[in-house]
Amino acid sequence: MISVRDMENFTKIPNDLLERLGAADLNGTELKVALCILRFTFGFQRDSCPLSATFISRWANCGVRNTKKAIRRLREVGLIEVLNPDQRGSTLEITFCQSQGITSAQLDTSAQLDTSAQSDTGVVPNQAQGVVPNQAHNKINILKKTKEKSCASDAAHSEADESCVDKPTELEQDKDDFARIYGIYPKKRGRAKAFQYYRGFVGPGRVIDGTRYRLTPRQIYLAVDSYVEERRGEGTELKFYQDLSTFFNRTIIDYLDQGEE
């Protein structure tokens, strides 16, 4: 039995925060992420700590993608706060929110959540990782101009307008934009099929799990860039990268919110 009187190393947790964590309807990954943040903030007697999704995922023994979703969820319900949300490419400085202003509605999973949160990744200092160059702002400018469409493309959930289907984007322009995207992806397999998927995204849109996605070249570029930087940050070998066609088929959807703030 562990005796409290014999404990030398322990983490003091404010009762209010502990009760809010208990009241929040969190899944296992979300709770483990919260515990990691507790460990490296209150556990080191500090109010905040720079933490990346890669570091947290290793500590909590869960996938990086699920960790990012958990971080967004904890922010949405008002449990944690990011002190430097505008510093893209930097490690997120994470702290716990004060209890004032936190309502039970924010802790209710039935509330509609905004999934367009900013990127929750960064490079953890002194953490063994691959080199992730901070070139996000330069890369954004490469495909800053988007194609003019002959009809409006509203939210991703809307169905394709028939006039859009009849007026596809210019082939040569698509080839030129796709070549820039292909150039930043290190694994070159599956180019032809990936280009077909690309034309679908920038043209009439592609239906994935019942939702039609129409994307701009810039959105696609940044999604690809986010995936590549995540793999480099984890030190993933090239052979374990997805083929480009596999990434464009479905995986790209999971990285869209990381490319657009």
Side-chain angles (χ1 to χ4, degrees):
M1 180 182 70
I2 299 177
S3 173
V4 176
R5 291 186 294 273
D6 298 333
M7 291 175 59
E8 295 182 358
N9 298 317
F10 58 91
T11 298
K12 292 183 178 179
I13 304 174
N15 290 336
D16 172 74
L17 175 58
L18 190 59
E19 290 170 1
R20 283 191 287 140
L21 284 173
D25 190 0
L26 305 177
N27 62 31
T29 300
E30 292 161 357
L31 184 57
K32 290 169 72 175
V33 169
L35 290 175
C36 179
I37 299 171
L38 274 172
R39 175 67 182 91
F40 289 96
T41 52
F42 294 113
F44 286 86
Q45 292 82 51
R46 52 194 177 193
D47 295 329
S48 64
C49 180
L51 294 167
S52 74
T54 301
F55 176 80
I56 296 174
S57 70
R58 291 173 179 171
W59 187 92
N61 192 28
C62 50
V64 175
R65 192 179 306 171
N66 289 333
T67 298
K68 291 177 181 177
K69 292 179 181 178
I71 292 173
R72 288 197 294 270
R73 168 71 175 143
L74 292 173
R75 293 176 67 185
E76 288 159 354
V77 300
L79 284 172
I80 65 172
E81 178 183 359
V82 174
L83 301 181
N84 57 341
D86 297 326
Q87 297 180 11
R88 179 176 172 81
S90 300
T91 305
L92 294 182
E93 186 80 17
I94 303 177
T95 184
F96 281 97
C97 296
Q98 297 291 331
S99 60
Q100 288 82 354
I102 305 302
T103 65
S104 59
Q106 290 176 290
L107 300 177
D108 187 357
T109 54
S110 64
Q112 293 297 322
L113 303 180
D114 179 12
T115 59
S116 60
Q118 296 171 350
S119 174
D120 296 304
T121 60
V123 182
V124 175
N126 302 325
Q127 183 72 15
Q129 303 187 54
V131 179
V132 183
N134 184 15
Q135 301 175 341
H137 292 294
N138 293 332
K139 292 175 180 178
I140 289 175
N141 293 329
I142 295 177
L143 292 177
K144 190 172 182 180
K145 293 184 178 180
T146 58
K147 297 184 181 72
E148 293 184 0
K149 289 183 168 44
S150 57
C151 63
S153 58
D154 203 346
H157 298 282
S158 62
E159 291 298 324
D161 191 291
E162 291 300 325
S163 60
C164 289
V165 178
D166 296 334
K167 299 177 182 179
T169 57
E170 290 187 21
L171 177 60
E172 292 305 316
Q173 183 65 54
D174 283 349
K175 287 182 178 179
D176 185 57
D177 290 340
F178 181 78
R180 295 188 180 96
I181 296 169
Y182 181 75
I184 67 169
Y185 201 85
K187 192 171 184 179
K188 302 302 183 182
R189 294 179 58 182
R191 174 170 181 164
K193 190 65 177 178
F195 182 60
Q196 293 180 20
Y197 292 141
Y198 172 84
R199 296 209 74 201
F201 281 126
V202 300
R206 294 188 62 232
V207 177
I208 299 177
D209 295 332
T211 299
R212 184 175 295 276
Y213 293 89
R214 296 184 200 165
L215 308 176
T216 66
R218 179 174 180 272
Q219 286 177 303
I220 296 174
Y221 184 99
L222 292 175
V224 171
D225 179 59
S226 294
Y227 173 81
V228 172
E229 290 200 359
E230 182 178 284
R231 298 285 79 75
R232 287 174 178 168
E234 296 173 347
T236 303
E237 295 182 37
L238 183 61
K239 64 181 180 180
F240 295 116
Y241 280 62
Q242 291 187 357
D243 290 350
L244 189 59
S245 57
T246 303
F247 177 81
F248 267 82
N249 185 26
R250 297 181 65 90
T251 309
I252 186 174
I253 303 304
D254 295 328
Y255 290 84
L256 290 177
D257 60 333
Q258 299 176 39
E260 292 289 340
E261 295 186 359

